[in-house]
Amino acid sequence: MSPALEALMEGCRYPGKDDMKGGVMLEPFVHQVGGHSCVLRFGEQTICKPLIPREHQFYKSLPPEIRKFTPQYKGVVSVSFEEDEEGNLCLIAYPLCSDPVDLENKEPSADGEPKNKLVKWGKKKPSALLPENERVRQSRKEEKGKSKWDDKAEVLYYSLEKGNVVPQIKHNPWSLQCHQQHLQRMKENSKHRNQHKFILLENLTWRYRVPCVLDLKMGTRQHGDDATEEKKANQIRKCQQSTSSSIGVRLCGMQVYHNTTEQLIFMNKYHGRKLSLAGFKEALCQFFSDGRVLRQELLTPVLQRLREMRAVLEACESYRFFSSSLLIIYDSASSSAPSRSRPSRGGEEEDEEDDDEDDDDDEVGAYGGRHDLSSSSGLVSPMVDVRMIDFAHTTCRDYGEDSIVHEGGDSGYIFGLQNLISILSQLEEHSND
């Protein structure tokens, strides 16, 4: 168990608002590009999301062959909706006393040593509490360093100033939308119930300076076995009207930074549903591009990972990953600089204690560090990650309460993987021409 959680467990109780320093204040997870569940940042290397029993069961009973393709499961916390001393509304995580085994959360610091204090957020206010005029706003129209946001916009383009781009990058608008909706629901329910279980999971983006994230909804079927007829019909319609039915995969969200054009692009799931096969391929080209050319060095490791995943799932008996997503992540800064989340001004790792004492004018970007992309030198191999996420509707033979038991592998998911492999293989061949 990490020192942070050991500190939280001390006394094994739920402090009130006068005692909030005993918990961990949660922030929006700024790199959430898809889904509808609220994902929150627990620590540098850990996120959390509302506990769904089926998904929790999946993570606790993962077969070893699948585990390497999923985020690391780190336990369970209790989250409450509270006010701080200034009257700001916050989400605070506390240990779940009834299930201490679940709280074995190894949360090493950047240099591999365990943290020796609670996670702190510095002097900045929680980003979800920023005034409306400070929040990311969305538009299809491009502006220099700005953008406007309306609820109907599905694709957002930012042009960023050349140089130190990280402090200019704000929250992915989808993450803020999910966070604000969940915060409102918890606020409305807080009078009747103000303790909610959240699961702790590995933050797959923590190592990256400027994470590019692609969320792909996998499979030809999205509804679970327990879906109502209305839900089933709705999900079938979405599949039929998108690339899910034809190729077993559709775009559910994307953020990418093109470092040659200094352009940041966000796409949400509504745009992804409308894409034709040609549009889906074009979106993949955008994701694996630097703004001018395809980055072949990204495609090769992604394809290797996808082929390994396909082989595992083909041998995975009775599992069905309905409505699950595939995340592809890489660092757009890695073509010009080594990937580390927090180098100090002198080039060595900063101590966590010093990080909280930085001056207010030493701005921290939403992407997790203080970096000048133009000042780094040296080419390195890009860091690429491919993981399966979202298992709220997963089932397998070992789930004894499920009335339906499926045979063989998840053919819909495997069909999507195969088509994704084929499309990316074509892009790789094209980039070699």
Side-chain angles (χ1 to χ4, degrees):
M1 184 182 298
S2 72
L5 281 169
E6 285 181 353
L8 285 176
M9 287 291 287
E10 185 177 357
C12 200
R13 64 191 182 91
Y14 297 102
K17 67 179 182 180
D18 296 329
D19 198 4
M20 277 202 318
K21 61 185 179 182
V24 173
M25 185 169 70
L26 305 175
E27 287 193 336
F29 177 58
V30 301
H31 307 306
Q32 180 181 358
V33 302
H36 61 270
S37 182
C38 175
V39 180
L40 298 164
R41 184 183 187 272
F42 178 85
E44 183 183 29
Q45 299 175 41
T46 305
I47 60 170
C48 63
K49 59 185 291 193
L51 184 150
I52 299 172
R54 182 173 294 273
E55 183 171 47
H56 188 214
Q57 180 179 6
F58 173 80
Y59 276 114
K60 293 177 71 173
S61 60
L62 264 175
E65 58 270 24
I66 296 180
R67 185 174 293 120
K68 66 177 181 178
F69 295 108
T70 65
Q72 179 190 356
Y73 166 72
K74 298 188 173 190
V76 180
V77 290
S78 177
V79 175
S80 61
F81 186 92
E82 303 180 11
E83 289 186 4
D84 64 13
E85 295 175 353
E86 299 176 358
N88 296 315
L89 298 174
C90 308
L91 293 179
I92 310 296
Y94 299 109
L96 192 66
C97 301
S98 61
D99 197 4
V101 176
D102 278 344
L103 290 173
E104 291 193 3
N105 173 29
K106 297 178 181 179
E107 177 81 12
S109 63
D111 59 4
E113 293 298 320
K115 293 181 179 178
N116 58 5
K117 64 184 185 67
L118 292 179
V119 177
K120 293 183 180 178
W121 304 113
K123 299 176 182 179
K124 293 185 178 292
K125 290 184 178 181
S127 47
L129 307 176
L130 292 176
E132 283 293 334
N133 61 356
E134 292 182 38
R135 292 178 184 168
V136 178
R137 294 176 296 175
Q138 189 175 20
S139 174
R140 292 177 184 273
K141 293 183 179 180
E142 181 181 322
E143 296 184 56
K144 198 70 174 177
K146 296 181 180 179
S147 73
K148 296 178 181 178
W149 180 14
D150 66 71
D151 292 338
K152 297 181 180 179
E154 297 169 355
V155 182
L156 168 63
Y157 297 88
Y158 284 93
S159 282
L160 303 180
E161 299 292 340
K162 191 173 183 179
N164 190 5
V165 305
V166 176
Q168 302 176 52
I169 299 173
K170 304 300 181 182
H171 290 74
N172 187 310
W174 190 258
S175 72
L176 273 185
Q177 179 177 320
C178 292
H179 182 268
Q180 290 161 2
Q181 289 175 349
H182 191 80
L183 204 66
Q184 183 62 34
R185 286 195 298 268
M186 289 187 71
K187 179 181 179 182
E188 293 170 354
N189 296 331
S190 62
K191 292 181 181 179
H192 308 289
R193 175 174 173 260
N194 194 27
Q195 290 180 6
H196 305 259
K197 290 183 180 179
F198 278 55
I199 59 171
L200 298 172
L201 297 171
E202 174 187 6
N203 174 9
L204 300 175
T205 69
W206 81 273
R207 291 181 177 86
Y208 304 149
R209 291 169 53 188
V210 185
C212 297
V213 184
L214 179 65
D215 185 319
L216 299 174
K217 187 74 73 173
M218 300 300 295
T220 53
R221 168 183 161 177
Q222 300 302 322
H223 61 277
D225 291 328
D226 57 349
T228 64
E229 288 302 315
E230 181 182 3
K231 180 76 170 180
K232 179 178 177 181
N234 188 41
Q235 293 291 359
I236 290 174
R237 176 182 55 80
K238 290 177 184 177
C239 289
Q240 291 175 340
Q241 294 177 352
S242 68
T243 54
S244 290
S245 61
S246 58
I247 61 172
V249 55
R250 73 171 183 256
L251 190 147
C252 194
M254 185 176 88
Q255 69 180 33
V256 61
Y257 176 69
H258 291 163
N259 46 30
T260 62
T261 58
E262 289 95 35
Q263 189 174 66
L264 177 67
I265 304 172
F266 294 124
M267 292 183 185
N268 69 22
K269 67 179 182 181
Y270 300 111
H271 181 72
R273 289 178 193 168
K274 297 176 182 177
L275 292 175
S276 63
L277 178 56
F280 177 75
K281 291 180 179 179
E282 183 179 348
L284 290 180
C285 287
Q286 281 187 292
F287 182 72
F288 289 106
S289 168
D290 68 358
R292 293 200 177 101
V293 297
L294 278 170
R295 295 182 58 182
Q296 189 270 342
E297 77 276 13
L298 297 172
L299 294 169
T300 301
V302 168
L303 280 166
Q304 179 180 351
R305 183 79 165 169
L306 292 175
R307 290 180 179 118
E308 292 174 359
M309 186 181 296
R310 179 185 59 186
V312 167
L313 294 188
E314 285 176 342
C316 195
E317 172 66 27
S318 86
Y319 272 92
R320 294 295 180 273
F321 302 97
F322 301 132
S323 198
S324 179
S325 283
L326 190 71
L327 277 191
I328 301 177
I329 310 169
Y330 71 88
D331 192 349
S332 69
S334 63
S335 61
S336 59
S339 296
R340 264 307 306 139
S341 56
R342 290 188 180 177
S344 70
R345 297 167 192 79
E348 296 181 359
E349 292 290 328
E350 281 186 304
D351 183 78
E352 184 90 26
E353 292 284 344
D354 296 336
D355 199 42
D356 290 329
E357 301 302 322
D358 290 329
D359 295 333
D360 287 340
D361 59 357
D362 189 3
E363 187 169 5
V364 183
Y367 281 69
R370 303 171 180 83
H371 306 284
D372 184 344
L373 300 187
S374 63
S375 66
S376 302
S377 61
L379 295 175
V380 297
S381 299
M383 296 176 65
V384 176
D385 203 353
V386 181
R387 305 285 186 103
M388 302 169 68
I389 63 166
D390 296 341
F391 305 104
H393 302 286
T394 295
T395 182
C396 77
R397 179 175 289 122
D398 296 332
Y399 291 16
E401 72 276 12
D402 290 352
S403 59
I404 300 175
V405 177
H406 299 270
E407 301 293 333
D410 189 334
S411 58
Y413 198 113
I414 295 168
F415 177 66
L417 275 180
Q418 181 55 58
N419 284 312
L420 184 59
I421 290 169
S422 297
I423 293 170
L424 295 182
S425 295
Q426 292 170 7
L427 294 182
E428 184 183 39
E429 291 172 6
H430 178 73
S431 66
N432 287 327
D433 291 342

